[in-house]
Amino acid sequence: MKPSERRKARRLAIQAIYQWQMTKDNVADIAQQFALEQDTKGVDLDYFRDLLFGVSVHVNELDAVYSPYLSRPLADLDMVDKAVLRLATYELTRREDVPYRVVINEAIELAKAFAAEESHRFVNGVLDKVTKQLKK
């Protein structure tokens, strides 16, 4: 496992999760579409699949973990921010092999790459509170 391969897997996964949120298409179909249509060279495809399927299966549980720390109702949350928070919360709660600092840093980078200008600060604040709660 190389960090760069996981970083690329997260970048693809965030796009796939966003598509799933917007279209409600079958997750398996989205995974197949991404495998065929995206450049997957140097991507940890197993990790990509784990993130995509994991978020879709556990979405309600994930939303319940981070939503108490939102400054606005979950329904009003930007779809990209929601995808980033879902992916990061999945890693924090289900992937104990990934250090929380890595999860938060990667989520901030995803927010910088795909979300609105100041979203990374919002994501960082929410995930910091989630991490503190999970450590209790």
Side-chain angles (χ1 to χ4, degrees), residues 45-102:
L45 288 175
D46 289 335
Y47 202 68
F48 162 76
R49 284 187 204 91
D50 180 58
L51 295 172
L52 176 58
F53 285 93
V55 166
S56 68
V57 168
H58 301 287
V59 67
N60 293 329
E61 174 189 322
L62 299 172
D63 289 350
V65 170
Y66 72 81
S67 62
Y69 309 109
L70 298 177
S71 56
R72 55 191 170 270
L74 180 62
D76 294 344
L77 197 60
D78 177 82
M79 285 297 207
V80 176
D81 291 344
K82 194 179 290 187
V84 172
L85 288 170
R86 286 173 169 171
L87 185 148
T89 303
Y90 176 78
E91 285 189 291
L92 289 170
T93 59
R94 300 283 177 159
R95 295 298 308 220
E96 294 176 10
D97 59 316
V98 183
Y100 76 91
R101 285 186 172 101
V102 171

